[in-house]
């Protein structure tokens, strides 16, 4: 399944001309604009419209990135950028991977790149763009920033939907920088939500609180997309997401010590909140509800630690990076990074011949494609994938002729190669979360956050796979040959130039450039 993917609204020449050297979010937006997938939207309302337009766009076939300006009630130039990395192509651009690869090949390229990544510690610079404007102490007013009310039933506006929360571990001194949602409560207070007590942010904050101190914290909004990706990674204790973002970049990110907390913060970030996370046993605020990535409000409203905001810094004409959870299949990342981790897990434990792993329905379904070598091979892969699939009730194993990133193909395999009475197993009490809408609330109250997973073996039965009815469709290679030979006829043919122009050759304009 090697090859180039559909290039959508942009020519291959443009894609290949992208040098993937963007310096910051603005540079990334320029690269997105060059692909023709950026839409600029003027006059939307912070209340529900930015969220609604983002959701509609994310559900459309083109899935454009959106840059909102002239937001109702805010000065022109205060912008919100959404759907940044929601397509495979834009996720690839963010990672510095060839964006013209097929989605599965792009994920494979990311796996290969990830294996050889070398962490880069950030370097300290003496000037930071985020210090162009500052509000301190009495001037601090979060209402000056266009934090959207993303979904209708949300408990309030969220400035942090794709923002990075930065803290320093008091023991090791290392910086944790990952994504936790941040709700605005009033001019000077936000809450920071940890899904569970194992989050590095939660562990670090507790260390300060245990000594009776508040935890110095910064919320970085409008960060380099590499940092957005790093913030989603499960990195081990002590390993900074800054170093990982530097690894993706192939060089250090630039930071500067912030004036109030002294935390090293990305110099090119757009908007930064500095302050302290107050001891949870002394003060908390009801947080949420917030529309979740499953497409529900399943975890409700809960007490949450409060950050007292002591300063707001922002660049001129700042851009907030927004990444609201939305009803699947919409998802923050067009490449399923967690599927890449499962793929690596399979390889690490010696499951051979895996040709692809993908996740659909916003991570709620995992698919592994492999070339079966022995009886039990597919189930072995299925059990490992199930063990590592967060919140996914469905795990499907398919043969190597199926593209796991193509849901129609996967369902064809399920409906034509899987005998349910023989090829579906159920694993109970497996890994889910409080966000799971199907765990009854009385069980959740009792602390249950697990569910069952179906492992669907949609491979041809190993014992008679060679005599299984042959597939009638063309192979990918045959398909490509036909496309090459008959492309003009299939796409309507080259435009016939008017008589006066004949003699020169004119090619059809690619879509999106018309
Ligand atoms: C857009 C987005 C929003 C997220 N929101 C939250 C959140 O509100 N709370 C949370 O605990 N994890 C959230 N996560 C998941 C964590 O960022 C992720 O699991 C990360 O690896 C945790 O980092 P840590 O190991 O440093 O705690 C979110 C992830 C993304 C991509
Ligand atoms: Mn971490």
């Amino acid at each position: 399944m090697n090859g180039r993917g559909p290039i959508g609204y942009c020519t291959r020449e443009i894609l290949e001309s992208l040098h993937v050297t963007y310096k910051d979010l603005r540079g990334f937006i320029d690269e997105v604009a060059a692909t023709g997938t950026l839409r600029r939207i003027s006059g939307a309302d912070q209340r529900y419209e930015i969220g609604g337009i983002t959701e509609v766009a994310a559900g459309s076939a083109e899935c454009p990135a959106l840059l909102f300006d002239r937001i109702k009630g805010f000065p022109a130039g205060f912008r919100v950028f959404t759907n940044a990395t929601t397509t495979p192509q834009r996720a690839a651009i963010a990672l510095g991977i060839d964006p013209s690869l097929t989605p599965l090949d792009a994920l494979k390229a990311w796996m290969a790149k990830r294996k050889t990544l070398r962490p880069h510690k950030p370097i300290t610079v003496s000037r930071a763009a985020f210090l162009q404007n500052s509000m301190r102490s009495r001037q601090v007013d979060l209402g000056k920033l266009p934090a959207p009310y993303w979904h209708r039933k949300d408990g309030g506006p969220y400035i942090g939907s794709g923002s990075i929360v930065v803290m320093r571990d008091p023991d090791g001194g290392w910086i944790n920088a990952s994504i936790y949602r941040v709700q605005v409560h009033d001019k000077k207070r936000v809450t920071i939500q940890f899904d569970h007590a194992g989050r590095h942010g939660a562990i670090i904050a507790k260390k300060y609180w245990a000594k009776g101190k508040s935890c110095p914290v910064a919320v970085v909004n409008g960060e380099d997309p590499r940092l957005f990706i790093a913030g989603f990674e499960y990195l081990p204790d002590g390993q900074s997401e800054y170093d990982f973002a530097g690894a993706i970049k192939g060089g250090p990110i630039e930071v500067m010590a912030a004036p109030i907390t002294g935390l090293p913060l990305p110099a090119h970030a757009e908007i930064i909140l500095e302050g302290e996370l107050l001891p949870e046993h002394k003060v908390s605020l009801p947080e949420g509800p917030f529309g979740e990535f499953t497409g529900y409000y399943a975890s409700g409203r809960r007490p949450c630690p409060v950050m007292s905001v002591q300063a707001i810094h922002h660049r001129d004409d700042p851009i907030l990076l927004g990444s609201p959870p939305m009803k699947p299949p919409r998802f923050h990342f067009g490449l399923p990074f967690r599927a890449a981790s499962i793929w690596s897990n399979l390889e690490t434990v010696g499951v051979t011949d895996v040709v692809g792993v993908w996740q659909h329905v916003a991570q709620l379904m995992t698919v592994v494609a492999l070339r079966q070598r022995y009886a039990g091979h597919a189930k072995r892969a299925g059990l490992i994938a199930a063990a590592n699939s967060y919140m996914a009730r469905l795990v499907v194993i398919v043969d190597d002729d199926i593209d796991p990133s193509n849901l129609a193909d996967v369902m064809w395999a399920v409906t034509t190669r899987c005998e349910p009475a023989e090829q579906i197993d159920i694993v109970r009490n497996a890994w889910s979360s409080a966000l799971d809408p199907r765990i009854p609330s009385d069980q959740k109250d009792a602390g249950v956050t697990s569910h069952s997973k179906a492992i669907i073996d949609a491979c041809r039965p190993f014992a008679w796979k060679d005599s299984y009815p042959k597939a009638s469709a063309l192979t990918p290679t045959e398909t490509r040959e036909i496309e090459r030979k008959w492309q003009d006829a299939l796409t309507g043919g080259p435009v016939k130039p008017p008589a006066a122009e004949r003699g020169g050759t004119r090619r059809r304009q690619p879509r999106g450039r018309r």
Side-chain angles (χ1 to χ4, degrees):
M1 278 176 278
N2 284 318
R4 309 270 150 176
I7 51 176
Y9 292 83
C10 161
T11 63
R12 178 148 294 136
E13 289 72 30
I14 291 173
L15 283 182
E16 282 168 3
S17 76
L18 294 177
H19 298 300
V20 282
T21 52
Y22 66 89
K23 183 174 82 174
D24 55 10
L25 183 64
R26 293 177 189 212
F28 177 77
I29 293 173
D30 288 343
E31 295 198 1
V32 171
T35 69
T37 67
L38 179 72
R39 305 281 177 276
R40 294 170 197 276
I41 299 196
S42 200
D45 199 317
Q46 150 204 44
R47 285 182 185 260
Y48 315 119
E49 267 186 351
I50 292 177
I53 297 165
T54 297
E55 186 174 316
V56 170
S60 73
E62 340 169 3
C63 190
L66 305 174
L67 187 59
F68 295 90
D69 199 353
R70 300 180 187 282
I71 296 163
K72 229 167 152 183
F74 293 88
F78 276 59
R79 290 162 290 169
V80 175
F81 180 54
T82 63
N83 290 345
T85 48
T86 47
T87 61
Q89 192 182 77
R90 291 198 295 274
I93 292 171
L95 288 168
I97 284 174
D98 178 355
S100 67
L101 291 172
T102 63
L104 191 61
D105 282 338
L107 192 67
K108 199 169 182 180
W110 165 236
M111 266 204 351
K113 178 168 173 164
R114 204 178 178 290
K115 268 186 213 157
T116 58
L117 285 183
R118 283 194 315 127
H120 280 276
K121 296 225 166 302
I123 52 164
T124 303
V125 294
S126 54
R127 286 165 67 96
F130 69 77
L131 288 176
Q132 281 166 346
N133 306 274
S134 287
M135 298 175 228
R136 300 222 189 169
S137 48
R138 290 227 310 279
Q139 303 156 336
V140 169
D141 181 0
L142 289 157
K144 296 240 158 75
L145 303 172
Y149 291 72
W150 293 102
H151 326 87
R152 289 264 156 200
K153 297 184 191 65
D154 285 359
Y158 277 74
I159 185 159
S161 60
S163 305
I164 304 291
V165 175
V166 178
M167 296 173 180
R168 186 194 292 281
D169 181 79
D171 300 331
W174 60 280
I175 295 291
N176 195 70
S178 33
I179 309 168
Y180 312 117
R181 73 195 199 204
V182 181
Q183 179 180 351
V184 177
H185 291 267
D186 53 35
K187 281 185 179 181
K188 292 181 170 46
R189 290 187 307 171
V190 299
T191 43
I192 296 177
Q193 195 267 6
F194 307 116
D195 279 352
H196 58 79
R199 292 291 194 229
H200 287 148
I203 295 171
I204 292 173
K206 265 195 192 133
K207 292 186 186 179
Y208 288 90
W209 298 341
K211 294 188 185 128
K213 293 186 194 156
S214 295
C215 171
V217 63
V219 179
V220 176
N221 314 277
E223 68 280 11
D224 181 325
R226 300 174 189 100
L227 200 47
F228 179 51
I229 291 168
F232 182 56
E233 285 277 329
Y234 292 136
L235 299 181
D237 255 32
Q239 191 176 327
S240 178
E241 287 78 6
Y242 280 177
D243 302 0
F244 192 85
I248 299 174
K249 187 177 179 183
I253 63 164
E254 296 179 354
V255 295
M256 185 178 158
I260 308 253
T261 53
L263 288 165
L265 300 178
H268 306 287
E270 297 281 339
I271 304 168
I272 283 179
L273 317 182
E274 263 197 286
E276 47 187 26
L277 199 60
L278 308 173
E280 199 177 10
H281 56 273
K282 286 200 187 141
V283 48
S284 68
L285 280 169
E287 195 266 357
F290 187 53
E292 293 148 6
F293 83 92
T294 57
Y296 295 89
Y297 291 95
S299 67
R301 181 172 241 225
R302 291 185 287 185
C304 194
V306 176
M307 171 186 178
S308 155
V309 180
Q310 295 159 333
I312 300 175
H313 313 288
H314 67 84
R315 291 175 68 156
D316 294 338
D317 297 333
I319 307 171
L320 174 66
L321 172 64
S323 196
M326 293 179 269
K327 180 185 163 191
R330 300 165 188 83
F331 195 61
H332 310 289
F333 303 106
L335 293 174
F337 297 127
R338 300 259 158 95
S341 318
I342 293 169
W343 196 342
S344 308
N345 296 338
L346 288 162
E347 288 182 353
T348 305
V349 298
V351 178
T352 61
D353 298 283
V354 174
V355 298
V357 181
W358 201 261
Q359 286 187 315
H360 296 277
V361 204
Q363 325 181 92
L364 298 177
M365 170 178 177
T366 302
V367 182
V368 178
L370 52 69
R371 192 172 307 115
Q372 296 185 78
R373 293 273 184 203
Y374 50 90
H377 189 178
K379 190 62 58 66
R380 183 178 173 202
L383 286 163
I384 291 164
N388 292 295
S389 290
Y390 170 69
M391 288 186 75
R393 280 196 166 74
L394 293 183
V395 175
V396 182
I397 319 301
V398 293
D399 291 306
D400 61 315
D401 62 324
I402 304 294
D403 177 350
S405 72
N406 180 330
L407 194 55
D409 241 24
V410 172
M411 291 317 292
W412 174 64
V414 169
T415 50
T416 59
R417 298 182 193 177
C418 170
E419 184 58 75
E422 297 167 19
Q423 285 167 263
I424 299 182
D425 290 289
I426 310 286
V427 177
R428 283 159 225 278
N429 292 322
W431 189 24
S432 187
S433 103
L435 302 190
D436 190 329
R438 181 59 183 81
I439 300 175
S441 58
D442 57 331
Q443 288 191 31
K444 266 187 207 169
D445 293 345
V448 174
T449 57
S450 58
H451 66 182
S452 63
K453 297 182 188 291
I455 303 177
I456 302 175
D457 176 359
C459 294
R460 301 178 189 94
F462 182 75
W464 51 288
K465 72 177 174 45
D466 297 331
S467 58
Y468 206 81
K470 296 284 169 269
S472 60
L474 299 170
T475 64
T477 315
E478 289 166 337
T479 304
R480 232 159 265 136
E481 267 165 25
I482 298 258
E483 279 171 355
R484 208 170 300 126
K485 183 164 176 194
W486 297 96
Q487 188 172 20
D488 281 348
L490 287 168
T491 56
V495 175
K496 255 195 178 165
E501 282 184 32
R502 276 193 194 133
T505 44
R506 259 179 45 175
R507 292 205 50 87
R508 273 162 59 84
Q509 282 280 334
R511 287 169 82 191
R513 305 196 67 214
R514 274 182 229 161

